[in-house]
Amino acid sequence: MDDLLGQFSLKGKVAVVTGASEGIGRALALGLAMAGADIAVTARREAALRELRAEIEAVGRRAEACALDISRVDDIRRLKDFVVERFGGADILVNAAGFTVTKPAWDMEEGEWDRMLDVGFKGLFFSCQIIGALMRERGYGKIINLSSTFSRSIIKGRAVYGGIKAGVSHLTEALAFEWAADGIRVNALAPTAVATPSRAELLAGGGYERLVARIPLGRLAVPEDLFGAAIYLASPASDFVTGQTLFVDGGWVAAS
Ligand SMILES: NC(=O)c1ccc[n+]([C@@H]2O[C@H](COP(=O)([O-])OP(=O)(O)OC[C@H]3O[C@@H](n4cnc5c(N)ncnc54)[C@H](OP(=O)(O)O)[C@@H]3O)[C@@H](O)[C@H]2O)c1
């Protein structure tokens, strides 16, 4: 192996990143671009995507923005056409779009349930299927699904969310098995709590202190903590790795 570090390069690769208008998806789009990939960024908020496009261009990579509602399968088909038209195909998919409600299971409402499942599970599955089809054409691809520590541990107020994330990790294994023959590696990235805008509710009222107390390394994650793991799973360095959930959690799951 002559070029050990070259295995981690994403030069010449095209990545599609969902949930890219804020938080983890936004950071990972930039991180993958810094590792050399050109990026198609998606979410509903077009202005935020345009800002991100400019930031990616500033690090010397190409970026294109496609606004869509990931819970609509027709929108994901439109994304596929967009990616083909602008980039000719895709090598990497990062599924970071999510919608999270933190509240006691007794109080969960049908509309909240539907929205969490439609964005975080249905949208994720059909993104894997529809963008994954572009990878199948090439016989090679890398899918990274955002799971969570709550796929493997319990916290009050996150029953439905944890169920979805356990489902994401399970789906990741199942797709890895079905699609190995097509050359598509499917893995999940499972962070502990990251202080993104959507987590304000979870971190309020003593939530922050309770979470930090469960993390042996003594702090919450920042999105940049995920760069190394995401670049590894997106790059040839992980070509023999599929079906895994990689926890980037400061030791949370080990301590649970
Ligand atoms: N933050 C954490 O502590 C943490 C920890 C572990 C795992 N995760 C997981 O990591 C991922 C990202 O988390 P996050 O905290 O950064 O943000 P998030 O609130 O889970 O996701 C926000 C992103 O999803 C997009 N989105 C929401 N509904 C959408 C829809 N209908 N169509 C298209 N895009 C939609 C939002 O963009 P628009 O509003 O512009 O549509 C935004 O870019 C999620 O899967 C989350 O569960 C987060």
Side-chain angles (χ1 to χ4, degrees):
M1 203 163 289
D2 294 338
D3 185 11
L4 199 57
L5 287 179
Q7 287 185 93
F8 292 87
S9 170
L10 302 182
K11 238 181 168 155
K13 308 281 187 197
V14 173
V16 178
V17 181
T18 78
S21 58
E22 71 173 40
I24 291 172
R26 186 180 204 290
L28 289 182
L30 260 177
L32 297 184
M34 288 189 264
D38 293 327
I39 318 278
V41 292
T42 82
R44 287 166 304 175
R45 279 170 291 162
E46 210 164 354
L49 294 178
R50 276 200 301 270
E51 267 177 38
L52 175 60
R53 184 175 64 194
E55 283 182 49
I56 292 171
E57 286 167 356
V59 301
R61 305 311 325 166
R62 221 183 116 200
E64 300 285 352
C66 179
L68 56 66
D69 183 338
I70 205 83
S71 65
R72 296 190 188 149
V73 175
D74 278 349
D75 278 22
I76 304 172
R77 291 198 185 101
R78 182 164 58 76
L79 171 66
K80 178 186 173 190
D81 294 343
F82 176 89
V83 169
V84 170
E85 185 211 315
R86 303 295 169 99
F87 294 102
D91 309 285
I92 299 158
L93 168 67
V94 177
N95 279 310
F99 174 70
T100 308
V101 175
T102 304
K103 58 158 55 171
W106 289 121
D107 301 333
M108 191 61 66
E109 290 168 20
E110 184 183 3
E112 295 167 333
W113 165 280
D114 285 345
R115 195 165 157 204
M116 275 197 279
L117 268 289
D118 283 353
V119 175
F121 203 53
K122 175 185 165 188
L124 179 141
F125 171 76
F126 283 102
S127 296
C128 288
Q129 185 202 61
I130 293 167
I131 303 301
L134 295 174
M135 303 176 187
R136 182 166 62 168
E137 283 170 15
R138 294 179 169 183
Y140 182 85
K142 301 277 192 166
I143 296 177
I144 303 172
N145 294 322
L146 265 296
S147 180
S148 162
T149 43
F150 300 132
S151 67
R152 281 266 304 275
S153 67
I154 305 299
I155 190 170
K156 283 183 184 167
R158 284 293 184 87
V160 176
Y161 179 79
I164 292 169
K165 292 305 186 185
V168 166
S169 284
H170 184 96
L171 185 67
T172 295
E173 284 187 353
L175 295 181
F177 185 41
E178 278 200 37
W179 295 350
D182 299 301
I184 303 172
R185 285 75 167 167
V186 190
N187 291 290
L189 196 52
T192 186
V194 187
T196 55
S198 69
R199 268 38 185 185
E201 210 183 355
L202 181 70
L203 301 175
Y208 173 85
E209 290 73 16
R210 280 194 296 277
L211 286 170
V212 171
R214 288 179 70 172
I215 301 172
L217 288 180
R219 64 168 174 83
L220 298 190
V222 292
E224 291 72 19
D225 286 318
L226 304 175
F227 280 9
I231 291 166
Y232 169 66
L233 292 177
S235 71
S238 63
D239 271 358
F240 202 52
V241 177
T242 196
Q244 298 300 308
T245 292
L246 177 50
F247 287 88
V248 181
D249 67 352
W252 175 302
V253 164
S256 287

